[in-house]
Amino acid sequence: MSFKAYTPAADMARCQPATNQSCYICNDSTIRAVDYHGRPQCTGGSDPVEVLLTDSDGRSVPVELFDMGDGTYDLLLRPITAGLHQLSVRILSRPIRGSPFQLLVRRAQQREWCFSEGADGRGLIQPFAVAYGPYPQSESVTDTTPTSFIYLLDTGNSRLLVIDPTTGCLHATLYGTPLTGQAATGIAWAPEGLWIVNWRAKQVYLLDPRTDQTIRSIHSSQFVEPTSACRCPLTGRLYVADNGAGCVFWCDPVTGTTQPFMGAGVKRETERTPPTSPITRTPSPCLSVQENDSHPLVKLPRSESRSFRRVTGICATDNGELILSTGSTIRVSVIAFRLL
């Protein structure tokens, strides 16, 4: 949180906060003093700043004010209870613009367990992605109440850690082929196993967590730097974000068919398989859809297309919405393109 405050010689009515954010236990804030012309002060000690923080019941809350000597003043807020708080900032006994400020204090989250190292004592190095779900069911044995696990990609150690979500204890450690080269950066749970993205090999592998063996893999000449993957629960299709290509591909998990779905508009190649059933298309008003024999290619505005080169995560919701994390979240509905 940062406030802009004018010096005593300034018109106090012009003082205003730069931002107004929620406050968590404990919180650091900054007051920056500027002169009459709006230029930042470079010395301290000359501004009589008064700060008062009260909780929802009007009780005073501990606040510490530190003169940093460069025209800024750091605040250390120590709220004791959750709820709406009020922060008053005054100079020469006159409130700056926007004061008092409303701050929402939320309760601290209590962790149930913490996982920090594997069975061999090695700590986590670049824990890159996580998935959740039960082990795949074998044809001979069907568990009516399968146990779900947390699957953590410990990329720096080229391993996958299977963790009990209730106790936080390590259940198993996998070192299969998809995890080699410190290059496994994406993971997606599926009923038949775990899809692992290895950007160095430019492949997506289906790994059986029971045996640590690769069931099959998907490779495409269109892959440049695949980083993340998710499985759509409505269609069963696999979506792979490729930062090098600036594109999200859809992949058929059975045939390995790979096609560009949205992004920078990667040129289509001959890797296509005609659909076995018709596709219902309902274009969104903010997207243009290029028709194709097997799947539409969603084109976005040029400014948003650049975001597909810095995707850090991708997931699909239960209602068929694809969500990409690119610093600023992009949400694209794919329910209109599912096979009926």
Side-chain angles (χ1 to χ4, degrees), residues 64-268:
E64 294 184 63
L65 179 67
F66 302 93
D67 185 351
M68 306 308 293
D70 58 357
T72 64
Y73 300 82
D74 280 0
L75 293 177
L76 181 60
L77 312 179
R78 299 181 182 275
I80 301 173
T81 60
L84 191 63
H85 285 54
Q86 185 170 277
L87 178 65
S88 173
V89 181
R90 293 172 172 263
I91 296 181
L92 284 178
S93 300
R94 298 176 62 184
I96 68 173
R97 178 174 294 180
S99 178
F101 305 99
Q102 303 298 315
L103 305 179
L104 178 61
V105 178
R106 301 175 183 172
R107 295 185 182 276
Q109 299 296 316
Q110 298 295 325
R111 68 186 184 193
E112 295 187 7
W113 49 263
C114 179
F115 187 90
S116 59
E117 62 182 26
D120 55 3
R122 285 188 297 166
L124 302 178
I125 302 178
Q126 290 183 314
F128 221 93
V130 65
Y132 177 81
Y135 273 2
Q137 297 291 306
S138 63
E139 296 180 358
S140 57
V141 179
T142 302
D143 189 352
T144 56
T145 57
T147 301
S148 293
F149 295 97
I150 295 173
Y151 306 96
L152 175 63
L153 272 182
D154 187 12
T155 303
N157 286 313
S158 298
R159 65 185 179 183
L160 188 146
L161 304 169
V162 184
I163 304 170
D164 186 315
T166 303
T167 64
C169 295
L170 182 65
H171 177 76
T173 304
L174 309 180
Y175 295 95
T177 301
L179 307 168
T180 59
Q182 299 178 319
T185 55
I187 183 172
W189 178 89
E192 60 272 19
L194 300 173
W195 287 101
I196 308 292
V197 179
N198 189 299
W199 70 266
R200 201 182 300 274
K202 300 181 182 180
Q203 293 192 59
V204 185
Y205 300 86
L206 180 60
L207 179 70
D208 186 343
R210 291 184 185 275
T211 63
D212 201 9
Q213 298 297 313
T214 301
I215 301 174
R216 57 180 174 271
S217 65
I218 298 176
H219 175 268
S220 171
S221 59
Q222 300 178 84
F223 287 161
V224 179
E225 187 184 337
T227 55
S228 307
C230 72
R231 175 184 176 273
C232 178
L234 287 179
T235 65
R237 276 178 171 159
L238 195 66
Y239 290 90
V240 179
D242 190 315
N243 287 355
C247 180
V248 173
F249 296 93
W250 70 264
C251 305
D252 187 308
V254 177
T255 66
T257 299
T258 300
Q259 290 289 343
F261 175 59
M262 60 183 174
V266 176
K267 183 179 179 181
R268 296 183 182 277

Side-chain angles (χ1 to χ4, degrees), residues 249-294:
F249 296 93
W250 70 264
C251 305
D252 187 308
V254 177
T255 66
T257 299
T258 300
Q259 290 289 343
F261 175 59
M262 60 183 174
V266 176
K267 183 179 179 181
R268 296 183 182 277
E269 299 185 11
T270 58
E271 295 180 37
R272 63 175 64 180
T273 300
T276 56
S277 56
I279 299 176
T280 300
R281 301 180 175 90
T282 307
S284 168
C286 62
L287 303 175
S288 61
V289 180
Q290 178 176 315
E291 298 297 333
N292 180 269
D293 293 340
S294 58

Side-chain angles (χ1 to χ4, degrees), residues 9-21:
D11 178 5
M12 292 300 110
R14 297 177 59 191
C15 300
Q16 58 184 351
T19 59
N20 192 1
Q21 301 176 349

